[in-house]
Amino acid sequence: MHDELTKIDIDQLKAELEERRRKVPALRDEVKRTKEYGDLSENDEYRCAKREYNRNKSRMRYLENMIETAVVIKTDSAADRVGLFDKVDIFYPEEEDEDEQYRTVRLVTTLRNDVLTDNISKESPFGKALMGHKVGETVIVHVNEKYSYPVKILKITKGEDDPDLKISSF
């Protein structure tokens, strides 16, 4: 499966990959240095250094794979329809708590998904339900086979790809 990413997503992946490549010699040296402490079965410094080295290598493989398999997508959409990077004011008609009825979300690529800041992946059930719809429409978010809920689109504020919106890491 190929991830749909923007040019900025790919540039950020490449920048992180380059940064991680620069760390490899220092991490390798730390593994060698801590290995000299003696008995490896009781050497926590060595285990920590080795774990950090392996984490870095694993992340590098992930980044390389994402870059190689990415499909570059366009971020433009019709002026009256929800598209990528747009902010969407929504209303939950079934929500009883008035403080929870209204919300503003921004649709982003999967790499920039962060529900805590209301950056919602276009690939999520919520994002898929909103994409391509107009103000005034009520869409159904299908969470799974047994649960779905309606959401009304109140306002669309057109957005653009923002390089300050960082990609997620682990």
Side-chain angles (χ1 to χ4, degrees):
M1 180 172 163
H2 300 288
D3 285 292
E4 294 180 337
L5 305 175
T6 66
K7 182 175 179 339
I8 291 176
D9 287 335
I10 294 170
D11 290 344
Q12 287 183 358
L13 290 172
K14 288 178 178 178
E16 183 182 345
L17 179 60
E18 188 55 38
E19 181 181 321
R20 288 186 174 277
R21 283 181 175 152
R22 283 193 298 268
K23 288 181 180 181
V24 169
L27 291 170
R28 188 181 306 123
D29 289 346
E30 182 65 7
V31 169
K32 287 179 186 175
R33 185 183 72 77
T34 57
K35 189 174 185 178
E36 295 172 358
Y37 288 172
D39 185 4
L40 298 183
S41 66
E42 297 181 11
N43 188 338
D44 284 336
E45 291 87 355
Y46 172 75
R47 274 197 298 270
C48 288
K50 188 76 171 166
R51 183 176 22 245
E52 188 59 32
Y53 176 79
N54 289 335
R55 255 187 82 159
N56 191 60
K57 294 296 273 186
S58 175
R59 181 69 176 175
M60 287 172 54
R61 284 189 300 276
Y62 169 79
L63 294 168
E64 289 166 347
N65 184 54
M66 290 294 290
I67 293 166
E68 287 174 17
T69 62
V71 174
V72 179
I73 57 172
K74 294 182 181 182
T75 61
D76 55 341
S77 62
D80 64 339
R81 298 199 176 264
V82 176
L84 195 56
F85 299 108
D86 293 348
K87 289 188 178 178
V88 185
D89 294 349
I90 55 173
F91 172 72
Y92 295 93
E94 293 181 352
E95 179 62 53
E96 293 176 13
D97 183 355
E98 287 186 31
D99 293 335
E100 301 291 325
Q101 285 183 323
Y102 297 93
R103 182 176 174 197
T104 300
V105 299
R106 177 170 37 179
L107 295 182
V108 296
T109 57
T110 55
L111 282 180
R112 300 188 196 174
N113 182 54
D114 182 1
V115 293
L116 297 177
T117 59
D118 288 325
N119 290 311
I120 308 298
S121 169
K122 70 180 192 69
E123 299 296 327
S124 70
F126 195 85
K128 285 179 183 177
L130 292 177
M131 287 291 285
H133 289 277
K134 296 180 177 183
V135 170
E137 290 184 344
T138 298
V139 298
I140 304 298
V141 178
H142 296 281
V143 177
N144 58 38
E145 294 175 5
K146 296 181 180 180
Y147 182 69
S148 60
Y149 58 92
V151 173
K152 184 172 184 176
I153 300 171
L154 301 177
K155 178 182 172 187
I156 301 169
T157 305
K158 299 309 279 182
E160 57 186 42
D161 198 353
D162 182 0
D164 293 330
L165 189 58
K166 300 297 180 197
I167 61 174
S168 23
S169 60
F170 61 84

